[in-house]
Amino acid sequence: MAEKSSSIDATENGFVKIKEPNHRGVKAMPFIVGNETFEKLGTLGTSANLLIYLTTVFHMKSITATNLINIFNGTCNFGTLLGAFFSDTYFGRYKTLGFASVSSTLGMLILTLTAAISKLHPPSCEKNSKACSGPTSGQFAFLFTAFLFLIIGASGIRPCNLAFGADQFNPNTESGRKGTNSFFNWYYFTFTFAMMVSLTVIVYVQSSISWALGLAIPTFLMLLSCVFFFVGSRIYVKVLPEGSPLTSMMQVIVAAFRKRKLNLPDHQPWDSLFNYISPSSINSKLSYTDQFRWLNKAAIKTSKDHLYAEGSTANPWRLCSMQQVEEVKCVIRSIPIWTSGVLYYVVLNQMSTYLVFQALQSDRRIGKTNFKIPAASYTVFSMLSLSIWIPIYDRIIVPFLRKITKTEQGITILQKMGFGLVIAVITMVVSAIIEDKRRVIALTRPIVGIEERKGGISSLSGFWLVPQLALAGISEAFTVIAQVEFFYKQFPENMRSFGGSFLFCGFAISSYLSSFLISIVHKVTRNSSGGNWLDEDLNKARLDYFYYLVAGLEVLNFGYFLVCAHWYRYKETQSGNEIAMEQILDEPKKNLDVV
């Protein structure tokens, strides 16, 4: 077992020498990727069809179920802040992942019981009946207990799993850095592979054979995920927690506020301000930046500040090092980029909620057969396009771009995000055009059936939904992967779990924002002369108008992102490793990313 801790190994000639952990790199990947694959097969196999489960088994209305899913997803993602805090402060990523994996397994087991035991869900609806009995308070309580365990599991797994995998590569070697770059792409590839299997095989079993069996399969796969994770324990690099990074951030802000009336030195602030760095710190030594100069006042040494013999401050709430200050700047600089992602995720939310309802009222038959593709399975086309695009991008496009830009990544992280945001706008416009076509055909031509509790099924083939899903997948391949990479590389090493939780908090706020937007549009339009845009029966609704509304919001979001990207400065270390990975070729603008 290799542990990357804060212990001092030896001293040589007065200098502290830190023991270098044994990074196994690709040797640890079978266990981590195996754990990831089975974990995603399990959790995604459960969540992918959860909307249909709530509307068909628990008899919830579409709007109620959609809002509940958005709130559940939002809470799972917001919980990552708490998971990241416990990981970075007390337990480390390894223990947090182990505990969270067990919690997810228990949550899925309880959810499986709600389908397997008849007393734990409402009775089936009578044929041709529009009024179905809803769940009792006891059935709701059992369902929410499953959600609670799943939320605890997601809160620990999501902020830690990616960072834990990247910890297995040595960031101080060229092969380690290249391995890390490829790991982000291939990590997402395994994610999409698991998603495709979940959206086809598992969703089919749930929708067409048995909900109990369809939920039991992912529960068993989640159990396998736990086994894979613990089997590889002996060869993992386990980065031990150094204490709360949030405390260090608060110390800088408090110290800067206390010294707000002091004047900063005019020249060479790095040399003239307090800059003690603990020899046991796992963080790279950061270069000085001019942004947020008011924070530098936290490092002004006065007569009231006292130091210990080894050079550290006696009161970290009055005096902080410039290293601490630069670490806080890394986090603050990332916030505008993070906020631009919140509105972007609204597009992805539509592809997993209202697209399912579109599919339900489209002709899902394959050819002239009676086999119907489950509505929730259509999302697999988004995953398929993403899975096809990632290897092409990683193995063909990136090497080509490297020759042009002379950088390891081909294009910068923020440029990748920008491409994805543009594609997201196109995705929503295409979605609106296709929905209008589906609705017009349903109203002007013979329908091919009736969807229970909704309305007529349009004769437009469900395969017309593929273009918008393919575009969403390519957009996700650019923006989400770039954001995963961004938060891992731009946050200090001891805050990488917290950085991962930043990404998922964006997902959370986006889920709540989607739910809020849906509720507002429903409330405003339900009594309007033009009809309810989000009616239960999409043939009576104007979902295309809603999609155009989201597209307009995405255009505004892209403009905001361009401003943030031009202003942003990449993290630079004095060793130069981060610079080599992040800067663009133009040396005079090495701190700026121009999209």
Side-chain angles (χ1 to χ4, degrees):
M1 175 178 65
E3 293 192 355
K4 190 176 181 180
S5 69
S6 58
S7 61
I8 298 174
D9 184 53
T11 59
E12 293 181 359
N13 301 322
F15 293 96
V16 178
K17 182 181 178 182
I18 305 298
K19 184 177 181 181
E20 181 73 17
N22 182 15
H23 294 88
R24 301 297 182 91
V26 294
K27 292 183 179 179
M29 288 303 101
F31 301 103
I32 293 176
V33 173
N35 162 257
E36 277 300 304
T37 302
F38 285 120
E39 188 269 330
K40 289 296 182 289
L41 280 170
T43 55
L44 295 175
T46 300
S47 61
N49 214 21
L50 199 54
L51 188 66
I52 302 298
Y53 183 66
L54 294 178
T55 54
T56 58
V57 177
F58 275 77
H59 306 152
M60 294 183 185
K61 292 184 177 180
S62 298
I63 294 244
T64 304
T66 300
N67 284 338
L68 179 59
I69 292 297
N70 283 330
I71 292 170
F72 168 70
N73 289 334
T75 307
C76 283
N77 289 321
F78 259 130
T80 59
L81 274 179
L82 195 60
F85 172 78
F86 282 116
S87 171
D88 287 338
T89 307
Y90 299 110
F91 306 120
R93 288 187 268 273
Y94 171 76
K95 291 181 180 178
T96 304
L97 280 170
F99 176 80
S101 296
V102 172
S103 179
S104 285
T105 304
L106 290 174
M108 292 167 61
L109 177 61
I110 295 172
L111 188 63
T112 301
L113 293 178
T114 65
I117 300 176
S118 59
K119 292 185 178 181
L120 296 181
H121 61 257
S124 300
C125 295
E126 295 181 7
K127 196 171 184 179
N128 298 326
S129 174
K130 290 189 176 181
C132 302
S133 58
T136 64
S137 57
Q139 291 167 345
F140 256 132
F142 212 77
L143 178 68
F144 288 154
T145 300
F147 284 175
L148 176 62
F149 278 103
L150 289 171
I151 288 170
I152 293 172
S155 299
I157 292 173
R158 292 179 182 182
C160 297
N161 56 2
L162 184 67
F164 183 71
D167 286 341
Q168 311 311 309
F169 296 92
N170 189 345
N172 298 317
T173 65
E174 183 180 355
S175 61
R177 293 194 298 272
K178 286 185 176 180
T180 303
N181 288 339
S182 289
F183 172 70
F184 288 116
N185 284 334
W186 290 104
Y187 165 88
Y188 220 77
F189 177 82
T190 61
F191 167 83
T192 54
F193 168 77
M195 189 75 167
M196 286 192 295
V197 174
S198 298
L199 290 170
T200 52
V201 179
I202 295 176
V203 166
Y204 175 76
V205 173
Q206 291 170 347
S207 301
S208 303
I209 299 177
S210 165
W211 278 105
L213 178 62
L215 291 173
I217 292 173
T219 302
F220 175 71
L221 292 174
M222 188 64 218
L223 181 62
L224 286 182
S225 171
C226 292
V227 172
F228 260 84
F229 178 74
F230 289 114
V231 165
S233 296
R234 293 176 62 85
I235 68 170
Y236 295 147
V237 170
K238 302 172 184 175
V239 178
L240 301 182
E242 282 196 325
S244 173
L246 298 180
T247 301
S248 179
M249 290 180 59
M250 290 303 301
Q251 288 170 345
V252 170
I253 295 172
V254 170
F257 179 78
R258 283 180 169 180
K259 298 179 179 179
R260 63 191 181 279
K261 295 182 180 180
L262 300 181
N263 295 321
L264 288 167
D266 294 329
H267 303 290
Q268 297 179 321
W270 184 271
D271 296 328
S272 56
L273 296 174
F274 178 66
N275 194 31
Y276 172 80
I277 299 177
S278 171
S280 61
S281 175
I282 65 172
N283 290 347
S284 302
K285 189 175 181 180
L286 300 177
S287 299
Y288 173 78
T289 59
D290 287 327
Q291 288 181 324
F292 310 112
R293 293 184 74 248
W294 61 274
L295 287 173
N296 296 351
K297 293 183 178 183
I300 298 177
K301 186 179 177 182
T302 67
S303 58
K304 295 181 180 180
D305 298 317
H306 303 286
L307 305 179
Y308 290 121
E310 80 279 7
S312 64
T313 177
N315 185 357
W317 294 94
R318 278 195 56 86
L319 179 64
C320 301
S321 70
M322 279 303 300
Q323 172 74 8
Q324 285 178 273
V325 172
E326 289 300 327
E327 289 171 1
V328 174
K329 289 181 182 180
C330 287
V331 176
I332 295 176
R333 274 196 297 265
S334 69
I335 292 175
I337 301 297
W338 171 77
T339 56
S340 69
V342 171
L343 195 55
Y344 164 76
Y345 303 139
V346 171
V347 173
L348 302 185
N349 285 333
Q350 308 318 311
M351 295 301 105
S352 60
T353 52
Y354 269 99
L355 180 127
V356 176
F357 296 136
Q358 280 183 276
L360 284 173
Q361 290 190 251
S362 300
D363 187 358
R364 293 177 283 126
R365 294 174 298 179
I366 297 179
K368 297 181 179 180
T369 67
N370 290 325
F371 177 81
K372 291 183 179 180
I373 299 175
S377 293
Y378 275 88
T379 314
V380 77
F381 291 108
S382 175
M383 299 297 102
L384 184 61
S385 70
L386 193 152
S387 298
I388 293 172
W389 174 253
I390 287 176
I392 294 173
Y393 179 78
D394 190 64
R395 298 303 179 188
I396 300 175
I397 296 177
V398 169
F400 174 75
L401 291 173
R402 282 174 183 162
K403 295 178 181 179
I404 299 174
T405 63
K406 309 300 181 185
T407 59
E408 286 186 3
Q409 290 181 303
I411 59 174
T412 62
I413 297 175
L414 295 183
Q415 286 170 342
K416 287 172 65 176
M417 288 187 200
F419 281 122
L421 292 177
V422 172
I423 298 172
V425 175
I426 299 172
T427 299
M428 295 314 301
V429 172
V430 171
S431 299
I433 293 172
I434 293 174
E435 169 57 20
D436 180 57
K437 183 179 181 67
R438 186 209 62 78
R439 176 179 174 275
V440 168
I441 290 177
L443 296 176
T444 59
R445 299 181 188 178
I447 59 176
V448 296
I450 299 290
E451 180 62 31
E452 187 177 350
R453 299 174 63 203
K454 291 193 176 298
I457 298 174
S458 173
S459 59
L460 183 72
S461 172
F463 287 111
W464 276 90
L465 300 174
V466 172
Q468 68 196 65
L469 288 165
L471 286 168
I474 295 174
S475 172
E476 190 174 351
F478 275 109
T479 299
V480 178
I481 293 178
Q483 289 204 332
V484 168
E485 194 173 353
F486 176 83
F487 290 117
Y488 180 83
K489 290 182 177 178
Q490 297 303 303
F491 272 57
E493 286 84 343
N494 69 331
M495 296 180 65
R496 280 174 171 169
S497 295
F498 181 67
S501 71
F502 244 51
L503 175 71
F504 289 106
C505 282
F507 290 153
I509 296 176
S510 179
S511 294
Y512 294 136
L513 180 61
S514 293
S515 182
F516 175 75
L517 191 60
I518 288 169
S519 298
I520 291 297
V521 170
H522 175 68
K523 184 177 181 179
V524 170
T525 64
R526 63 183 175 183
N527 296 321
S528 66
S529 58
N532 188 351
W533 287 10
L534 302 177
D535 194 276
E536 287 283 313
D537 182 359
L538 291 187
N539 297 334
K540 298 177 181 178
R542 293 311 306 253
L543 183 60
D544 53 329
Y545 290 174
F546 178 69
Y547 283 163
Y548 281 127
L549 173 64
V550 175
L553 293 175
E554 294 301 325
V555 171
L556 295 177
N557 186 50
F558 179 65
Y560 167 73
F561 171 79
L562 289 178
V563 174
C564 296
H566 183 76
W567 167 84
Y568 186 78
R569 289 174 180 260
Y570 282 119
K571 183 179 81 172
E572 294 185 2
T573 67
Q574 294 189 13
S575 64
N577 288 339
E578 293 293 334
I579 300 175
M581 285 190 285
E582 307 303 339
Q583 75 175 21
I584 54 179
L585 189 59
D586 188 6
E587 188 63 24
K589 297 180 180 179
K590 67 181 180 181
N591 290 329
L592 295 177
D593 182 80
V594 182
V595 177

